[in-house]
Amino acid sequence: GFHLSGTVTEPATATEPEMTYKVAISFDRCKITSVTCGCGNKDIFYCAHVVALSLYRIRKPDQVKLRLPISETLFQMNRDQLQKFVQYLITAHHTEVLPTAQKLADEILSSNSEINQVHGAPDPTAGASIDDENCWHLDEEQVREQVKLFLSQGGYYGSGKQLNSMFAKVREMLRMRDSNGARMLTLITEQFMADPRLSLWRQQGTGITEKCRQLWDELGALWVCVVLNPHCKLEEKSCWLRQLRKWGEMDVCPLEDGNYGNELPNITNALTQSSGHSQDSLARPRRTVFTRAIEGCDLHWQDSHLQRIISSDFYVSPSYQREGESLLFNSQGQPLWLEHVPTACARVDALRSHGYPREALRLTVAIINTLRLQQQRQLEIYKHQKKELLQRGATTITNLEGWVGHPLNPIGCLFLTLTEACRLEEENCLEISDAGDSKPPVYQHVPVVTGSQEGDESYLSLALEVALMGMGQQRVMPEGLYAQDKVCRNEEQIIARLQDLELDPVLVQTLRKQCILLLEGGPFSGLGEVIHRESVPMHTFAKYLFSALLPHDADLAYKLALRAMRLPVLETTAPSGDVTHPHHLVSVVPSRYPRWFTLGHLESQQCELASTMLTAAKGDMLRLRTVLEAIQKNIHSSSLIFKLAQDAFKIATPADSNSDTTLLNVALELGLQVMRMTLSTLNWRRREMVRWLVTCATEVGVRALVSILQSWYSLFTPTEATSIVAATVMSHNTILRLSLDYPQREELASCARTLALQCAMKDPQNCALSALTLCEKDHIAFETAYQIVIDAASTGMTYTQLFTIARYMEHRGYPLRAFKLASLAMTHLNLAYNQDTHPAINDVLWACALSHSLGKNELAAIIPLVVKSVHCATVLSDILRRCTMTAPGLAGIPGRRNSGKLMSTDKAPLRQLLDATISAYINTTHSRLTHISPRHYGEFIEFLSKARETFLLAQDGHIQFAQFIDNLKQIYKGKKKLMLLVRERFG
């Protein structure tokens, strides 16, 4: 039959009642061509009711009554029976059918109607004619709606996952050779091209978002798969080509390398600008995400050699042809396929995707045999050039097109094809483990089916080999942020897959063999002895290789990881050796170093590799030495070296066991290097680094501490050395931690004091106080430090610093020294008439109080300095008031006699201070009156009252004050309101 109809009952649930749905399905040549169901489901997949009815028909064919097409049944009826049939049919469905029945009756009775021009009538149960198109039912509108919805969510709410599952559905359709695969992909692409964000991104010149970029990549790769279908018709291919060209020509179409051309120019462009050619003659053609699919339309499968490769496992060259060079077979007679590698791999992907797994495997083996042969030949070429290349120390030979991060993902494709052939399908392989992650796949060795005698290889060892070959390929860093990011991402994806392989002896042998080849591979290997300055670094790959090899061949593991530590793009020096062009590389390729967008990530990977080696080398002095040298030679970022130092320290000092001295010394050495690197550059983490270093040196022991104290000048600034380093070393905690005996404590203290004095000499401003503190317990050192302060006081120090040290001296019980320093501080100070809230006022008051307490002579010595430095009337009157309240000399300096009398303001030294205070009040008054506003009048009158108190301390003070007031009235008579207030208060 061609039409299946039935009723499907959905049982009741706790919340929903039982439901019954009418389902109708049309099919033709084993494909479901249309479906309808009463549930009104809107999805790109069939609803459960359609699936239930189909399965019922498949599983219980004898339960489904098979009937003739309805046209046959009607043919057997007479006139009365037909009338009865139609009337009953209309009655059963009169609401839905009556209008249609009436319309058809009218048309049949009208002689010239369209219906009467055609012989016979349609029959939905009779099936299609042999020439009609037949394909699986696909709800196109639904596909459009869903893609549109997911795109509008911009990768949020799991829409990226949904779109990826639609792509997976396309791949599944291709594998089942369902012609709807290409149809569905076309619908998806149309919606992608209609995404309104594309024109927005293009106008703003910003790149497409990361999630969206990956979806576009998959879209491009799927089209390559579709057009490479080995059995598609020519007209299908030309139809796809027209579509792809149309999309590719739209200006919003995303470009293959990521952004909308706002990247910096490529190498050839950069060169043309300098050599005067027209800009466009060498410019790269515009490559969109569809360009590779468009190019794929030119490929065909008619090549007889290719056909033989994919159609037989036993295709070998006749034995008599195995001498000499051949482009079709290797020396064992196995077929080769010498096509551009990513293109050849795209063929493999197409075969795999279109449901030809055996053929895909055969082509994969031919490609790998070709790559092996190329690897051998490149090794031979390198052996001839080795001497010259090593002399130059660099190479210009490298692949401009890398396989890792390539839009067609060639290595990933070969790896998947090979591992899929080795997968052990467990009974419950679909069950998800507790963690919610699917379990890693389990592989077994499946021998390679081949026509040659050496049949001891497995597809699994080939998978490992090809992944290592591809990852180890030396290649130039591509242009643009997106392409560079993709290299890192693809590398991580391949490594994640490699980590699923359990390394048994067979795989270890493959791993070792390939690693040796990579180390010897010269300029064709990213791990060869010489590489191009712009080479993609191998740190991530080497970290995997190191960990994988370590249990089996430690020497090889270290050799490889140490070789990979380099990052030549950061070596600023041009390659040496070529005398004629000392910058022969730099001149050809303008330094693209600022355009390494992923440099930060690459440097952190370099650091990870170093950290992995340090951890593994714990306890092995020789290995640690070589790793340390590699770090010091290759890592250029202080913060990364600091991170390594911290890592080494953590590993060396486990909480539950003794410290490992070998690794601790490495941590210290790295820390010292960081100190030297950051000594003269600004680094926001510097304080943290200095503190950490002292902690590390303390862990290493007393000799390390003595060493950093003795060589402080190459590691720390004087301030750091005194306030952080020496202070921490001399702290109680450190002494307890090290449990030192007396001679050791003395040695440390002596080193700390020497450091303190050196720092005080070098930077007295910032280190003098710390130096004095550190030297407190040693009389000679303390005196030396004091002398350094005195010598520096006249030139290099500020009054704040001197006052601080003076107060410290008083606190330590050296009042006369404190007085001397306070006097020196006063000579640096200058307080203007209006600076009555200056922070130094407290210091001045303290200095005067100190002098007063020492005695008349000291007070007499400081007052001239005060008068010279302080011009602020209120401060002077405060000092004057304090000096007249008690008798001088109360500090009770031994060997001095004090009269115990209060001092008079009429005699020296207070007379000088009084005169200065009165004259400061007079000057300040005039200054204030030049620009006074009425709202300050009240405040000004209070100020004059204070002035009067000071005037009255003089013998003829009241006369002086009266004259002063008269003077004001005369000069400022214009300020009538103010003078009125003056008269009211002072007469």
Side-chain angles (χ1 to χ4, degrees), residues 231-248:
H231 294 295
C232 72
K233 301 190 187 83
L234 263 176
E235 55 269 29
E236 274 183 309
K237 201 185 255 194
S238 55
C239 171
W240 293 330
L241 183 60
R242 274 198 307 279
Q243 268 183 338
L244 290 164
R245 282 198 173 130
K246 188 185 83 190
W247 290 324

Side-chain angles (χ1 to χ4, degrees), residues 58-73:
I58 292 164
R59 288 174 183 167
K60 302 185 176 174
D62 47 346
Q63 300 281 314
V64 178
K65 205 165 181 188
L66 194 59
R67 299 176 182 278
L68 287 170
I70 197 81
S71 48
E72 294 288 323
T73 312

Side-chain angles (χ1 to χ4, degrees), residues 232-456:
C232 72
K233 301 190 187 83
L234 263 176
E235 55 269 29
E236 274 183 309
K237 201 185 255 194
S238 55
C239 171
W240 293 330
L241 183 60
R242 274 198 307 279
Q243 268 183 338
L244 290 164
R245 282 198 173 130
K246 188 185 83 190
W247 290 324
E249 281 159 11
M250 291 167 74
D251 53 6
V252 293
C253 186
L255 303 182
E256 183 177 76
D257 62 1
N259 297 344
Y260 286 109
N262 62 346
E263 302 284 353
L264 293 158
N266 63 346
I267 307 181
T268 43
N269 287 354
L271 285 177
T272 54
Q273 288 162 355
S274 55
S275 52
H277 288 293
S278 78
Q279 178 67 43
D280 295 329
S281 62
L282 287 167
R284 276 187 307 190
R286 179 171 176 270
R287 291 186 68 86
T288 71
V289 285
F290 300 117
T291 303
R292 294 199 183 254
I294 292 168
E295 292 166 351
C297 290
D298 295 337
L299 298 174
H300 61 79
W301 295 83
Q302 269 71 59
D303 182 278
S304 59
H305 181 56
L306 176 62
Q307 283 298 326
R308 287 191 190 110
I309 290 173
I310 63 178
S311 54
S312 162
D313 286 318
F314 304 106
Y315 172 43
V316 289
S317 69
S319 52
Y320 59 82
Q321 281 182 2
R322 293 186 191 173
E323 302 305 313
E325 289 285 291
S326 157
L327 290 176
L328 302 181
F329 302 93
N330 65 12
S331 56
Q332 286 89 48
Q334 296 164 317
L336 304 172
W337 181 243
L338 287 166
E339 193 172 26
H340 169 239
V341 175
T343 309
C345 297
R347 287 187 191 273
V348 172
D349 193 28
L351 288 167
R352 221 180 96 240
S353 303
H354 288 284
Y356 302 100
R358 296 293 327 154
E359 289 82 344
L361 263 181
R362 290 169 188 146
L363 183 53
T364 299
V365 173
I367 293 170
I368 291 177
N369 282 326
T370 312
L371 290 176
R372 284 172 169 170
L373 191 64
Q374 284 175 355
Q375 198 179 38
Q376 281 173 329
R377 287 192 184 154
Q378 288 169 349
L379 263 173
E380 283 156 25
I381 294 169
Y382 173 56
K383 277 176 189 152
H384 291 209
Q385 303 174 327
K386 189 170 181 174
K387 198 173 166 198
E388 178 206 347
L389 279 173
L390 285 176
Q391 242 177 353
R392 279 214 319 236
T395 173
T396 46
I397 308 163
T398 183
N399 296 293
L400 287 169
E401 182 180 54
W403 299 331
V404 174
H406 191 283
L408 297 174
N409 187 11
I411 300 302
C413 159
L414 297 182
F415 186 82
L416 267 177
T417 308
L418 291 160
T419 49
E420 271 173 7
C422 304
R423 248 186 123 136
L424 258 181
E425 292 301 342
E426 295 173 47
E427 289 305 302
N428 52 359
C429 67
L430 288 174
E431 276 183 33
I432 304 290
S433 66
D434 302 340
D437 306 321
S438 47
K439 289 188 202 159
V442 182
Y443 298 111
Q444 59 183 354
H445 284 286
V446 175
V448 176
V449 185
T450 165
S452 69
Q453 280 67 49
E454 298 97 74
D456 56 350

Side-chain angles (χ1 to χ4, degrees), residues 753-765:
R753 288 194 291 268
T754 310
L755 170 147
L757 295 175
Q758 289 170 342
C759 292
M761 287 290 286
K762 199 170 165 69
D763 182 4
Q765 287 182 309

Side-chain angles (χ1 to χ4, degrees), residues 3 35 41 219 235 247 362 421 434 477 520 527 537 545 657 689 760 839 843 906 982:
H3 189 275
V35 300
N41 167 65
L219 194 67
E235 55 269 29
W247 290 324
R362 290 169 188 146
D434 302 340
M477 179 62 84
E520 292 172 357
L527 292 162
L545 292 176
S657 61
M689 290 168 167
D843 289 320
D906 289 341
V982 170

Side-chain angles (χ1 to χ4, degrees), residues 887-945:
L890 295 179
I893 298 287
R896 286 203 186 174
R897 288 182 60 235
N898 288 314
S899 63
K901 278 194 211 160
L902 290 175
M903 292 172 74
S904 158
T905 52
D906 289 341
K907 297 190 186 128
L910 292 189
R911 176 76 212 196
Q912 191 185 356
L913 182 58
L914 177 61
D915 290 347
T917 311
I918 288 172
S919 98
Y921 269 119
I922 293 170
N923 291 338
T924 307
T925 302
H926 287 300
S927 296
R928 287 180 75 162
L929 283 173
T930 49
H931 44 73
I932 193 167
S933 68
R935 64 198 176 98
H936 292 126
Y937 284 175
E939 199 187 306
F940 176 72
I941 296 296
E942 291 311 312
F943 173 76
L944 281 184
S945 302

Side-chain angles (χ1 to χ4, degrees), residues 443-728:
Y443 298 111
Q444 59 183 354
H445 284 286
V446 175
V448 176
V449 185
T450 165
S452 69
Q453 280 67 49
E454 298 97 74
D456 56 350
E457 290 191 315
S458 88
Y459 290 119
L460 200 56
S461 57
L462 284 190
L464 176 61
E465 184 179 345
V466 80
L468 300 178
M469 264 190 202
M471 299 273 285
Q473 174 211 32
Q474 193 197 169
R475 53 204 182 265
V476 159
M477 179 62 84
E479 301 244 0
L481 167 62
Y482 182 69
Q484 292 178 13
D485 196 46
K486 204 164 162 185
V487 168
C488 301
R489 250 204 335 271
N490 194 204
E491 197 171 35
E492 279 157 13
Q493 285 161 353
I494 296 171
I495 287 173
R497 294 239 169 91
L498 284 173
Q499 281 163 337
D500 286 340
L501 300 181
E502 281 209 18
L503 295 179
D504 59 10
V506 178
L507 292 183
V508 170
Q509 195 186 346
T510 306
L511 177 71
R512 286 193 55 197
K513 185 179 161 197
Q514 198 54 42
C515 286
I516 292 165
L517 282 170
L518 286 172
L519 281 171
E520 292 172 357
F524 302 95
S525 154
L527 292 162
E529 282 175 280
V530 280
I531 52 168
H532 190 285
R533 183 171 174 273
E534 302 277 315
S535 246
V536 171
M538 293 278 139
H539 309 127
T540 316
F541 179 40
K543 186 178 144 194
Y544 161 75
L545 292 176
F546 178 79
S547 304
L549 272 172
L550 198 62
H552 312 288
D553 187 340
D555 287 343
L556 184 58
Y558 277 101
K559 187 177 179 187
L560 205 139
L562 290 165
R563 170 81 57 86
M565 272 295 289
R566 61 200 170 185
L567 185 50
V569 79
L570 291 183
E571 310 298 340
T572 45
T573 52
S576 54
D578 188 336
V579 191
T580 49
H581 295 95
H583 301 287
H584 72 286
L585 261 185
V586 183
S587 61
V588 176
V589 181
S591 168
R592 270 189 15 219
Y593 162 43
R595 284 159 44 193
W596 277 48
F597 296 99
T598 51
L599 193 61
H601 171 75
L602 298 171
E603 283 191 280
S604 68
Q605 289 301 305
Q606 182 189 31
C607 179
E608 286 285 306
L609 173 61
S611 185
T612 308
M613 283 196 281
L614 282 176
T615 311
K618 179 178 175 178
D620 184 333
M621 204 54 235
L622 256 159
R623 291 240 197 262
L624 280 173
R625 258 304 114 206
T626 47
V627 176
L628 181 64
E629 280 163 18
I631 292 169
Q632 291 171 330
K633 181 181 170 206
N634 292 301
I635 297 186
H636 303 280
S637 151
S638 56
S639 55
L640 288 175
I641 296 180
F642 182 48
K643 184 188 177 298
L644 281 173
Q646 288 175 304
D647 286 355
F649 183 76
K650 269 194 203 112
I651 302 157
T653 53
D656 50 359
S657 61
N658 294 339
S659 300
D660 178 87
T661 46
T662 55
L663 199 50
L664 253 182
N665 281 308
V666 168
L668 180 64
E669 207 160 321
L670 289 171
L672 294 172
Q673 187 184 346
V674 173
M675 289 297 103
R676 288 189 284 268
M677 285 172 88
T678 55
L679 179 57
S680 52
T681 55
L682 287 171
N683 188 308
W684 60 276
R685 295 182 67 189
R686 176 78 189 170
R687 279 184 80 79
E688 177 198 348
M689 290 168 167
V690 174
R691 286 212 167 91
W692 178 87
L693 185 83
V694 180
T695 309
C696 181
T698 308
E699 235 6 85
V700 174
V702 71
R703 300 293 0 125
L705 288 176
V706 168
S707 166
I708 64 169
L709 291 174
Q710 286 175 342
S711 55
W712 70 267
Y713 45 85
S714 64
L715 304 169
F716 315 109
T717 64
T719 320
E720 290 167 346
T722 50
S723 65
I724 306 177
V725 183
T728 313

